[in-house]
Amino acid sequence: MSEVLLELRGVTVRFGGLTAVHELDLNIERGMIRALIGPNGAGKSTVFNVVTGIYRPTAGSIRFRGEEIAGLNPYHIAYRGIARTFQNIRLFKNSPVLDNVKVGRHPRSKSNVLGALFRPPGFKAEERRTTEASLKVLDLVGLLHKKDELAKNLSYGEQRRLEIARALVSDPVLLLLDEPVAGMNPQEKAKLMELIRNIRDRGVTVFLVEHDMKFVMALSEKITVLDYGRKICTGTPDEVQADPRVIEAYLGKEVG
Amino acid sequence: MSMLDDFLRQFINPYYIQVLMLLGIYLIAALGLHLITGVTGQLSFGHAAFMSVGAYGAALINLHLDLPFLICLLAGGLLAALAGVFVGFPSMRLAGDYLGIATLGFGEILRVVFMNLEITGGARGLAGIPRETSLLTIYVLVILTIFALHRLQNSRFGRALVAIREDEIAAECMGIKSLWYKVGAFAIGSFFAGIAGGLYAHLLQYLNPGDFGFARSFELLCFVVLGGLGSIPGTVLGTTILTLAPEVLRFSSEYRMMMYGLLMVIMMIFRPRGLLGGVDLMRLVKRVLGSRRRGTATPAG
Ligand SMILES: Nc1ncnc2c1ncn2[C@@H]1O[C@H](COP(=O)(O)OP(=O)(O)OP(=O)(O)O)[C@@H](O)[C@H]1O
Ligand SMILES: [Mg+2]
């Protein structure tokens, strides 16, 4: 068994009377492409939000590389090596594509106000490294030719890829992708699948939420199914597809 | 320092030199507000109050301690920055957008305080400030301000500020501790307001708390908005147009506020990004009005 990178134990998230996530246990092993699926409103994005510190868990523990991170702020968690994209794209819309990616480099750089004003020798070198790293990931996601466009002028699929670039540029240990292919056409999906495999091969562990079953089943090594905030099962794509509880969760939702 | 002024006075009507000096002072103050509102997206309705901190600060230090003018000016700027931290930190720490209200309140409180303190001359105002400001000093400082802001904006710090303006939650997920950056931008913007205030004090040689009321804060906001939020050239253009237009068109001062109000409405309708800016004012206002507590009402996924 490989090392457990992220470990959720008994994680519960409540919004007033609504329990979005209920006593969730979940392990993400290093080096995997891991998926979380479930019907609409199952609590998938809430899991991402609680792992990245946007919400605090009502109860439970979240350990990343052995250290407790539940209740830390998003900026602390980013520094520890977790990067993410958002289901409802959250780009810096009025900024150029390149600047969007440079912001993602924040945890890997240091310069502050005084550095910006007085530009000591290290400043230029750091800016150059930031630019180089940003151009490299833009090339990786196929957006290098769009680097000077404003983010809001990109197509939907391009915006999703820009979010991935912005997350990748921080050299994360764990990459969370919330519905990365939503709104993409088949060609874009195929390309993105290749890209995600490529990212995993670079040593980044990928944890994704996705509704596109064909995509998830083809890509992931291990899948956890969530329904009404509760874990139904975890297993390989074949195991999950054969599980009657999973079929019921999806069918029950679609019919009702 | 004032040799240039004397020289120019032979060719230009001294009144116009005075107008140019005031323009430079407003440019410095407006550029400070540009960092707060245009770049970082934080609405401040009390920028003139921070000018008054710098104005009274620099003038009183000059009158009582007799230090060199530039030291007084710097001290005034630093006092304004300190006031910025004092107002910005608690109001931006609260989730939601309380900065607008806090700055509005701060401006009014400060006006009343200056009106009643013995040392500031109370309602009579503070007179007898030496005239130390010259056209050259002002425009050297304008250029330094533009230079500093340009450097700040083109750096990791500046990119973080824009990220906060565009999407604070996404920015925090990129490792940006938004509270620090917002307070930092607010303090730096207030610093420039303070410098502008110190120059103002040593130009007019007389300070009245009424000079720095809400009307002046609103005026500064108009300068920044007209030119275009987030753009240095836009702020310079907006400030220049709105400062010089009343002189050229000979508006009486009573109509000024009306004109600004009208202009704002027209801008919001026809050119919400200002003349040169990339940021939509309507979007900013909507975001500020619509922002609620983090963690309960802003699902990020
Ligand atoms: N900030 C919040 N305040 C109140 N309720 C919330 C909040 N965020 C999520 N919820 C609720 O929690 C439940 C789970 O939401 P979540 O967004 O995690 O679902 P999801 O599995 O990502 O769904 P989808 O597939 O539609 O994205 C939903 O009922 C949702 O309405
Ligand atoms: Mg979701």
Side-chain angles (χ1 to χ4, degrees):
Chain A
M1 201 73 193
S2 59
E3 177 203 351
V4 175
L5 194 58
L6 181 74
E7 184 187 26
L8 277 68
R9 282 287 160 269
V11 171
T12 297
V13 184
R14 240 176 251 131
F15 297 111
L18 179 99
T19 304
V21 176
H22 184 79
E23 293 183 4
L24 179 67
D25 294 333
L26 189 77
N27 284 349
I28 307 290
E29 286 94 11
R30 193 186 272 276
M32 269 204 178
I33 297 180
R34 191 72 166 72
L36 182 63
I37 64 171
N40 286 326
K44 306 177 296 294
S45 297
T46 303
V47 171
F48 275 18
N49 286 338
V50 85
V51 168
T52 51
I54 290 172
Y55 300 147
R56 271 156 226 269
T58 313
S61 124
I62 304 172
R63 293 178 152 265
F64 180 61
R65 300 161 97 179
E67 288 170 42
E68 186 64 44
I69 59 165
L72 289 186
N73 286 310
Y75 40 85
H76 289 132
I77 291 171
Y79 270 86
R80 288 177 183 231
I82 302 182
R84 69 170 293 175
T85 66
F86 298 90
Q87 179 176 348
N88 49 343
I89 301 171
R90 283 178 168 267
L91 286 169
F92 309 125
K93 292 200 181 72
N94 293 299
S95 293
V97 165
L98 181 59
D99 280 10
N100 268 269
V101 181
K102 283 182 175 178
V103 173
R105 192 72 185 167
H106 196 87
R108 291 279 169 271
S109 44
K110 288 201 186 68
S111 97
N112 55 19
V113 173
L114 293 179
L117 283 177
F118 299 108
R119 313 242 154 149
F123 179 87
K124 262 208 168 131
E126 186 181 277
E127 278 293 302
R128 204 180 48 238
R129 281 197 304 274
T130 299
T131 308
E132 277 167 10
S134 304
L135 293 175
K136 218 173 85 188
V137 291
L138 277 178
D139 194 23
L140 186 73
V141 302
L143 285 176
L144 193 53
H145 61 294
K146 299 264 173 149
K147 68 181 167 64
D148 299 320
E149 293 262 356
L150 293 185
K152 64 179 173 194
N153 295 335
L154 297 188
S155 75
Y156 205 68
E158 288 170 335
Q159 293 196 4
R160 291 226 174 264
R161 279 184 284 147
L162 177 54
E163 273 213 334
I164 295 176
R166 185 179 67 175
L168 266 186
V169 77
S170 64
D171 296 328
V173 179
L174 176 64
L175 176 63
L176 308 183
L177 303 173
D178 199 345
E179 305 203 9
V181 295
M184 282 191 177
N185 62 40
Q187 291 98 303
E188 285 178 311
K189 284 184 191 175
K191 268 196 170 165
L192 193 71
M193 192 175 305
E194 207 178 304
L195 174 66
I196 293 174
R197 289 203 174 111
N198 188 342
I199 290 168
R200 189 263 324 267
D201 294 342
R202 286 158 185 263
V204 181
T205 306
V206 178
F207 183 24
L208 62 109
V209 163
E210 185 51 66
H211 275 297
D212 185 321
M213 285 306 140
K214 233 178 89 192
F215 185 85
V216 177
M217 297 301 165
L219 185 63
S220 337
E221 291 155 68
K222 207 165 147 189
I223 299 171
T224 294
V225 187
L226 217 56
D227 189 25
Y228 290 114
R230 285 165 203 265
K231 182 167 78 175
I232 304 182
C233 68
T234 296
T236 64
D238 289 338
E239 287 165 4
V240 164
Q241 276 170 298
D243 195 311
R245 289 167 301 179
V246 175
I247 297 164
E248 197 197 308
Y250 272 94
L251 289 182
K253 267 277 159 65
E254 268 158 33
V255 172
Chain B
M1 279 286 220
S2 61
M3 258 165 59
L4 177 76
D5 295 30
D6 293 340
F7 177 73
L8 284 176
R9 245 175 264 277
Q10 298 176 352
F11 306 99
I12 307 174
N13 182 337
Y15 174 76
Y16 290 123
I17 294 182
Q18 181 88 352
V19 170
L20 282 181
M21 289 168 94
L22 282 171
L23 169 62
I25 289 170
Y26 290 141
L27 278 174
I28 294 171
L31 284 163
L33 187 59
H34 147 84
L35 189 73
I36 297 169
T37 303
V39 177
T40 319
Q42 309 298 308
L43 274 180
S44 167
F45 296 118
H47 204 58
F50 295 95
M51 261 184 96
S52 76
V53 173
Y56 279 99
L60 289 173
I61 289 169
N62 198 344
L63 289 173
H64 294 275
L65 301 179
D66 199 25
L67 291 169
F69 174 52
L70 285 179
I71 302 283
C72 300
L73 209 56
L74 188 67
L78 290 175
L79 281 173
L82 201 68
V85 174
F86 179 76
V87 175
F89 189 77
S91 60
M92 295 199 261
R93 210 165 76 105
L94 296 171
D97 211 282
Y98 292 106
L99 186 69
I101 301 163
T103 46
L104 199 65
F106 175 69
E108 281 310 292
I109 291 168
L110 208 61
R111 200 172 54 82
V112 174
V113 167
F114 285 154
M115 198 82 89
N116 288 289
L117 280 184
E118 190 72 38
I119 191 166
T120 56
R124 278 174 292 113
L126 184 63
I129 307 163
R131 185 177 166 112
E132 309 244 22
T133 302
S134 73
L135 192 67
L136 187 67
T137 321
I138 291 176
Y139 279 90
V140 166
L141 288 173
V142 167
I143 288 166
L144 273 177
T145 304
I146 292 174
F147 178 73
L149 285 175
H150 180 78
R151 284 198 152 187
L152 284 178
Q153 282 180 244
N154 292 287
S155 72
R156 175 175 180 260
F157 177 75
R159 287 190 298 266
L161 298 184
V162 171
I164 289 168
R165 178 192 73 202
E166 291 293 308
D167 192 322
E168 193 166 343
I169 288 181
E172 291 219 324
C173 288
M174 309 287 118
I176 294 163
K177 186 168 183 177
S178 68
L179 176 63
W180 283 20
Y181 281 82
K182 287 193 290 185
V183 174
F186 195 66
I188 295 169
S190 302
F191 171 81
F192 287 116
I195 295 287
L199 289 168
Y200 183 91
H202 291 84
L203 172 66
L204 297 192
Q205 301 174 266
Y206 167 77
L207 291 176
N208 185 307
D211 290 356
F212 305 101
F214 174 70
R216 171 111 324 139
S217 292
F218 183 65
E219 201 174 24
L220 288 166
L221 205 53
C222 290
F223 295 170
V224 176
V225 169
L226 173 72
L229 285 170
S231 150
I232 294 177
T235 299
V236 171
L237 185 70
T239 308
T240 307
I241 291 176
L242 287 184
T243 309
L244 297 186
E247 303 300 335
V248 176
L249 302 176
R250 301 245 167 252
F251 271 116
S252 87
S253 58
E254 295 106 75
Y255 291 119
R256 249 192 201 202
M257 286 303 277
M258 225 174 79
M259 194 187 83
Y260 288 145
L262 196 67
L263 193 76
M264 284 302 221
V265 173
I266 295 172
M267 293 280 301
M268 287 223 195
I269 297 169
F270 295 106
R271 214 169 156 82
R273 286 157 200 291
L275 296 174
L276 301 177
V279 184
D280 193 328
L281 174 69
M282 284 297 259
R283 201 175 72 94
L284 191 68
V285 170
K286 269 190 208 148
R287 204 207 63 206
V288 165
L289 294 180
S291 69
R292 272 163 284 164
R293 295 186 66 85
R294 191 193 103 177
T296 56
T298 34

